[in-house]
Amino acid sequence: MIIWMVIGMAVVTAVPRFLPALIVGFVTFPKWVDRWLNAIPYAALGALIFPGIMSVKPDAPQIGVIAGLVGIFLAWLNVHIIFVVFGAIASVFLMTL
């Protein structure tokens, strides 16, 4: 009985993941839908990063905001991603000394 439950849960989990991949190959979207779909990863990344920036130091959220701005500035200068991360970490470290 348990094996059928596990198989059922696997199918229920796999179908929503594979179905869009199969459908996208056959459907042509309008240009505005493609632009909207291309923006989703950036929106998801922002939704994951922003709460962390605001909670670096809960009693001083400006520290996280400044470190985020340092990271944005370094990324704008086309610095390698590891140095962007190190720059943001170093700015938090220096502000919390």
Side-chain angles (χ1 to χ4, degrees), residues 1-95:
M1 178 66 182
I2 292 178
I3 189 70
W4 291 111
M5 291 176 64
V6 171
I7 291 171
M9 288 187 289
V11 169
V12 168
T13 302
V15 168
R17 295 171 191 247
F18 292 121
L19 194 60
L22 295 174
I23 292 174
V24 168
F26 298 111
V27 178
T28 304
F29 295 112
K31 195 153 191 81
W32 68 271
V33 173
D34 281 336
R35 283 196 330 258
W36 182 75
L37 289 173
N38 286 333
I40 290 176
Y42 301 111
L45 186 63
L48 292 171
I49 291 174
F50 188 72
I53 286 175
M54 296 304 289
S55 63
V56 168
K57 193 164 183 185
D59 56 331
Q62 69 273 15
I63 292 175
V65 172
I66 292 170
L69 292 173
V70 167
I72 289 170
F73 178 71
L74 292 174
W76 181 68
L77 293 176
N78 290 326
V79 176
H80 193 275
I81 186 69
I82 195 71
F83 296 118
V84 172
V85 172
F86 285 154
I89 291 171
S91 64
V92 169
F93 175 74
L94 293 172
M95 286 185 282

